[in-house]
Amino acid sequence: MNCFRKLPGFTRTPAGLETRVLRKLPAIALFGTIALILPSIVVRLLEWGDVSHAALTRIGMVDIYVTGVVVLHWTVVFTAAIFAFIVFVMKGPAYVADAYALVDADKPAGEGRS
């Protein structure tokens, strides 16, 4: 028994925007993460050698904001990847489903009938 029999006569929909999005997402994730980490690097360079409480507090606050924005960025990229993958799969070939025999397919059962 072949579980994945393709539907005969089905034409596959041509690829569209979803394939371009799926190809660009790794680069978007990588370069976006690098760009979002830059403020944390810059504040560390500006506060180089300063061990005062104010400098460490500034560095800590920037790190907290950067961490939040990076996690948000990854979440958006992952959500876009899920969406593009679902569209990609839905445009793929159609498969024949298992038949389900209906008992009263011609007319619905009324009251008193089973």
Side-chain angles (χ1 to χ4, degrees), residues 43-64:
V43 77
R44 279 177 162 59
L45 291 175
L46 292 176
E47 303 291 342
W48 189 265
D50 190 2
V51 292
S52 67
H53 179 68
L56 295 177
T57 303
R58 250 188 316 276
I59 291 172
M61 287 302 295
V62 170
D63 285 348
I64 290 171

Side-chain angles (χ1 to χ4, degrees), residues 11-48:
T11 57
R12 189 174 177 153
T13 307
L17 180 63
E18 74 279 354
T19 54
R20 286 182 285 178
V21 169
L22 283 173
R23 285 187 187 128
K24 289 181 182 180
L25 278 178
I28 290 171
L30 177 67
F31 294 124
T33 303
I34 291 170
L36 293 172
I37 290 175
L38 284 178
S40 186
I41 295 170
V42 168
V43 77
R44 279 177 162 59
L45 291 175
L46 292 176
E47 303 291 342
W48 189 265

Side-chain angles (χ1 to χ4, degrees), residues 58-89:
R58 250 188 316 276
I59 291 172
M61 287 302 295
V62 170
D63 285 348
I64 290 171
Y65 290 138
V66 165
T67 302
V69 173
V70 166
V71 169
L72 175 66
H73 173 67
W74 289 345
T75 304
V76 169
V77 168
F78 184 67
T79 304
I82 290 172
F83 173 73
F85 180 73
I86 288 173
V87 172
F88 179 76
V89 168

